[in-house]
Amino acid sequence: MEGNRDEADKCLRIARKALQNGEHDKALKFLNKAEKLYPSIEAKALIDAITKNGSTAGGPRHRTESDKPNQGKSTGPAQNGAMPETEKKVESKAYTSEQLDGVQRIKKCNDFYEILGIVKDASEEDLKKAYRKLALKFHPDKNHAPGATEAFKAIGNAYAVLSNPVKRKDYDQYGEGLSPGNSQHGGFEFHRNYEADITPEDLFNMFFGGGFPTGSTQTYSNGRTRFTTQHTYHRTERDDERTDVSHQGGFSMFLQLLPIIVLILVSVLSQLMVSSPPYSLYYRAAVGHTLKKQSINLKVVYFVNKDFDKEYTGVALQKVEKSVEDDYITNLRNNCWKERQERNDYFYAAKVYRDVRLRKKAELMRMESCEKLARLNELYRGG
């Protein structure tokens, strides 16, 4: 996937150069290729811009007088050739009349709801949709019309206030926090009580996972502070930090789980290394213990497979039968203890509740395991 990303970056660089040279078909071709190799916000945004606005997505282009609301007729030194043509191209970036009209509309708005183009009872989802649409449209890296930066800031501030339930309630109750057209340059002026707690660029990054991909630097102010953001065509530093933190967290989690993993592996290996006994005290067809045999000493019945007589003879057979008798006696002792415990419980209940039937049931209760254990003891003493 990283290899595709490198190829996509190469295609993006070729597309940007083609846009600067006015080769829009070539740019669109390489942008589509980059989007297929490694989808990115930049490639998608440039494709949309070329498709909708033609040459407005890229570098300078030939424009009519109606498309140049930001440029008057050259006067002074410019007419005498004092300013080279290349400097004029760098100084003024292309924008459309539609973009300029949008900025003017934002300037004329009287409240936050009007800026976002929503009604006062709009839901949170409607608020998000409106912000996404306007933020992409007025981001200074895409919209180069005069006042686009202030309009973008006003949109971010409007969303930040209205998306906060407390601030929205206060704003609805006490009135607008925005006064249009009061700055010296026709910008926007915010009421301090309704100033956003987050910068417009940080808010944009929260929505779209990074700055708008154009590779330019923009400076914004937020009342008391100013900040500059540098957009890159690769992952942002914040993304790298998040990736490093996630990697560290994953390694730390692995170290914490390592002892448990080792214990599980040791348990599994020990189970694999321990072989199952060649006998069973009961008939077990699942493991092949179907042949009935009897121990020589205590006459204990046990079951083995068909190859048992070939594999176990002499001392090996004596060890197996010793193990059979030990297991049998252990089972009898455990069962005998359970029988005695059950009978004592009946006697205790009969005494507490003065129940004759419970007492009689305890007296008549058969103690089979205890009786077998007693017979084995007599046999052992007699032997």
Side-chain angles (χ1 to χ4, degrees):
M1 193 68 177
E2 289 300 324
N4 291 345
R5 182 170 186 170
D6 294 338
E7 292 298 325
D9 289 339
K10 292 180 182 178
C11 293
L12 285 174
R13 287 195 292 270
I14 295 173
R16 288 193 294 270
K17 187 174 180 180
L19 283 175
Q20 292 174 358
N21 297 331
E23 299 174 349
H24 306 296
D25 293 337
K26 180 179 178 181
L28 186 60
K29 174 184 175 181
F30 281 94
L31 286 172
N32 288 326
K33 184 176 180 180
E35 184 70 8
K36 291 179 181 179
L37 289 172
Y38 194 91
S40 63
I41 298 177
E42 178 184 5
K44 181 174 175 55
L46 291 177
I47 291 172
D48 292 342
I50 293 175
T51 303
K52 294 179 181 178
N53 304 321
S55 59
T56 58
R61 64 182 179 98
H62 298 289
R63 293 173 293 172
T64 62
E65 290 298 323
S66 60
D67 291 331
K68 299 180 181 179
N70 61 322
Q71 296 179 359
K73 293 184 179 181
S74 300
T75 59
Q79 290 179 339
N80 299 327
M83 181 181 292
E85 185 67 21
T86 55
E87 291 185 8
K88 287 193 289 184
K89 290 182 179 179
V90 173
E91 183 179 354
S92 61
K93 295 184 178 180
Y95 61 89
T96 64
S97 58
E98 181 183 356
Q99 291 175 328
L100 184 62
D101 292 341
V103 172
Q104 295 297 330
R105 184 194 71 80
I106 297 295
K107 284 185 177 182
K108 295 177 183 178
C109 292
N110 295 318
D111 60 64
F112 292 151
Y113 293 101
E114 188 177 358
I115 289 176
L116 297 179
I118 58 175
V119 295
K120 286 194 174 183
D121 58 349
S123 64
E124 184 178 355
E125 187 64 27
D126 294 334
L127 194 63
K128 290 181 179 179
K129 289 180 180 179
Y131 173 77
R132 286 193 186 98
K133 180 180 178 180
L134 293 174
L136 287 174
K137 183 177 180 181
F138 288 93
H139 194 284
D141 289 342
K142 182 178 180 181
N143 190 330
H144 302 297
T149 299
E150 289 78 7
F152 176 73
K153 185 170 63 175
I155 293 167
N157 195 69
Y159 175 79
V161 172
L162 297 182
S163 61
N164 186 316
V166 177
K167 287 190 175 183
R168 182 174 182 176
K169 181 179 180 181
D170 184 60
Y171 178 80
D172 291 341
Q173 183 176 358
Y174 296 106
E176 293 76 11
L178 184 65
S179 299
N182 291 332
S183 66
Q184 295 179 355
H185 303 286
F188 299 81
E189 188 174 292
F190 292 93
H191 195 285
R192 287 187 177 273
N193 292 336
Y194 301 118
E195 203 167 73
D197 296 329
I198 185 172
T199 62
E201 191 65 24
D202 286 343
L203 180 61
F204 186 88
N205 291 341
M206 289 172 59
F207 265 80
F208 302 101
F212 195 86
T214 61
S216 65
T217 303
Q218 296 291 337
T219 303
Y220 306 99
S221 63
N222 187 28
R224 293 174 294 277
T225 60
R226 295 178 63 85
F227 62 96
T228 302
T229 59
Q230 175 67 44
H231 307 302
T232 64
Y233 302 110
H234 302 288
R235 293 186 306 174
T236 61
E237 293 181 1
R238 183 177 299 176
D239 294 334
D240 293 335
E241 292 175 0
R242 290 175 181 171
T243 303
D244 293 340
V245 171
S246 64
H247 289 169
Q248 293 175 3
F251 184 71
S252 176
M253 180 65 68
F254 174 75
L255 290 180
Q256 293 178 3
L257 295 177
L258 186 59
I260 299 176
I261 296 174
V262 172
L263 288 176
I264 294 174
L265 290 176
V266 170
S267 176
V268 172
L269 290 175
S270 62
Q271 291 293 331
L272 293 176
M273 294 175 64
V274 175
S275 59
S276 59
Y279 65 89
S280 297
L281 296 179
Y282 308 97
Y283 182 91
R284 295 180 64 189
V287 294
H289 295 166
T290 57
L291 298 179
K292 183 177 180 181
K293 293 183 70 68
Q294 192 176 53
S295 65
I296 297 175
N297 186 20
L298 298 180
K299 310 300 180 185
V300 177
V301 174
Y302 64 99
F303 296 85
V304 296
N305 57 31
K306 59 182 180 179
D307 298 327
F308 180 82
D309 292 334
K310 297 179 182 178
E311 298 176 1
Y312 296 92
T313 58
V315 178
L317 178 61
Q318 291 177 5
K319 289 183 178 180
V320 170
E321 291 195 343
K322 179 67 168 58
S323 180
V324 168
E325 292 172 351
D326 289 343
D327 289 347
Y328 181 73
I329 292 173
T330 300
N331 288 342
L332 286 180
R333 286 174 179 171
N334 291 336
N335 293 334
C336 179
W337 181 86
K338 292 178 182 178
E339 290 171 352
R340 288 176 179 175
Q341 190 68 30
E342 185 178 2
R343 186 176 65 175
N344 290 337
D345 290 341
Y346 281 127
F347 276 125
Y348 180 77
K351 181 178 179 181
V352 171
Y353 298 106
R354 298 180 181 180
D355 193 328
V356 178
R357 291 176 299 175
L358 289 177
R359 183 176 183 82
K360 191 170 185 63
K361 184 176 182 179
E363 292 174 348
L364 297 176
M365 181 177 173
R366 292 191 60 184
M367 312 283 287
E368 295 181 359
S369 297
C370 294
E371 293 172 359
K372 291 179 181 179
L373 187 60
R375 286 197 297 268
L376 286 177
N377 289 333
E378 291 176 0
L379 180 62
Y380 180 76
R381 294 192 190 97

